Amino acid sequence: MNKKIAVLLGGTSSEREISIKSGYAVLNSLLKSGLNAYPIDTRDYSIMKLKQEGFDKVYISLHGYGGEDGSIQGVLQYLNIPYTGSGIMSSSISIDKFRTKLLWKSRGLLTAPDIYVSKKKNIASIYPLIVKKTLKLGFPVLIKPNNQGSSIGITLVSCLDQLKNAIKIAFSYDNNILIEKFIKGKEYTISILGEKVLPSIHISTKNNFYDYDAKYMSSSTQYSCPSGLNILQETELQKIAILAWNTLGCSGCGRIDVILDNENKFWLLEVNTIPGMTNRSLVPISAQNMGISFDELVLLILNMNDQNLL
């Protein structure tokens, strides 16, 4: 008999809307492949019921908190239901930009210099110190929530006058933020599927950086695959990506974003352990370049990670 598959989507994070689009694209693909799949919106459904309702497997299409941070993975592990994507530890580390970067730095990988600021401290009292450290980094800087995806809550700051408001915006999404040196260069993303590194994609946008608008709204954002990197650069990027991925203990399918600066150095930006699967998403573009259709990709991801329960 066909296994009963739950596609977890929606949820309560700020990326809910994107998650619904991803989830339904996955669901429709699974149904098209003749599988017994159902949409489950975790905002309105207790996933503790998955076992008693006879679900054998879970495809996680949740983005951000409550889906990508290890919490859902922990419940599924407790229920002994196989699920897609990375396990508990790697999911919870990967959503934390600051701790991800600490691990990457420990392996000699390049990441942008940053300042970590926690809301637990009285911001007014430490603001002069934040200014001093930011001036040392040098403008422009990116102010970002530590635990958000989809470029939500990120502001590019080019002068001191814009700093306070950008910090306020980032804190409205998270209790911890990063002030990060903005690395000028070309942006690339590289997808990982199991043990395989897929071809890189060059992202070009008319915006100052690849922000939420460039990702989901703008029609002028362009994705080039092949990316235009030469063979040596592509090989180097693949090595960096797999080291970054394995350092965090990730598994299944994911994506790593990088900047190639003007001196031809790759700087790691962040990792995405549950990448989008919409019609604008990057993993499907990269897979297509390898001759893997969207439906094949969904099935590969579905059948990849039963080891989560070992």
Side-chain angles (χ1 to χ4, degrees), residues 138-143 155-163 166 208:
F139 291 106
V141 292
L142 285 170
I143 317 285
T155 310
L156 180 63
V157 170
S158 51
C159 64
L160 206 51
D161 291 347
Q162 301 167 343
L163 186 65
N208 290 322

Side-chain angles (χ1 to χ4, degrees), residues 29-90:
S29 175
L30 291 171
L31 293 172
K32 193 173 156 191
S33 295
L35 296 174
N36 189 19
Y38 299 83
I40 301 288
D41 189 337
T42 56
R43 186 189 67 180
D44 313 317
Y45 176 99
S46 167
I47 62 166
M48 293 300 287
K49 295 195 296 191
L50 288 172
K51 197 79 174 175
Q52 68 199 55
E53 292 188 3
F55 284 100
D56 303 292
K57 203 160 194 180
V58 167
Y59 193 116
I60 305 177
S61 279
L62 295 162
H63 305 313
Y65 253 122
E68 209 165 352
D69 59 354
S71 55
I72 289 274
Q73 288 79 1
V75 176
L76 294 171
Q77 205 118 341
Y78 171 76
L79 293 173
N80 205 36
I81 301 176
Y83 56 90
T84 57
S86 291
I88 302 167
M89 183 198 71
S90 48

Side-chain angles (χ1 to χ4, degrees), residues 50-166:
L50 288 172
K51 197 79 174 175
Q52 68 199 55
E53 292 188 3
F55 284 100
D56 303 292
K57 203 160 194 180
V58 167
Y59 193 116
I60 305 177
S61 279
L62 295 162
H63 305 313
Y65 253 122
E68 209 165 352
D69 59 354
S71 55
I72 289 274
Q73 288 79 1
V75 176
L76 294 171
Q77 205 118 341
Y78 171 76
L79 293 173
N80 205 36
I81 301 176
Y83 56 90
T84 57
S86 291
I88 302 167
M89 183 198 71
S90 48
S91 297
S92 56
I93 291 172
S94 297
I95 203 168
D96 186 319
K97 292 180 175 68
F98 177 65
R99 283 161 184 82
T100 291
K101 290 177 74 171
L102 287 178
L103 283 171
W104 282 345
K105 283 177 199 169
S106 77
R107 302 299 294 272
L109 295 164
L110 286 179
T111 77
D114 60 58
I115 306 158
Y116 180 72
V117 186
S118 176
K119 220 178 196 173
K120 289 172 190 164
K121 297 189 172 138
N122 182 335
I123 298 304
S125 67
I126 63 164
Y127 189 69
L129 182 61
I130 293 171
V131 168
K132 189 179 175 184
K133 286 184 173 180
T134 305
L135 288 171
K136 200 173 175 186
L137 277 185
F139 291 106
V141 292
L142 285 170
I143 317 285
K144 52 175 79 170
N146 188 47
N147 292 328
Q148 284 288 330
S150 290
S151 301
I152 289 168
I154 297 185
T155 310
L156 180 63
V157 170
S158 51
C159 64
L160 206 51
D161 291 347
Q162 301 167 343
L163 186 65
K164 194 171 270 186
N165 191 50

Side-chain angles (χ1 to χ4, degrees), residues 180-200:
E180 196 175 74
K181 175 79 178 165
F182 180 65
I183 308 290
K184 293 187 180 75
K186 292 179 178 175
E187 187 152 354
Y188 295 85
T189 193
I190 191 152
S191 302
I192 293 164
L193 188 61
E195 304 295 313
K196 188 179 286 187
V197 184
L198 302 181
S200 64

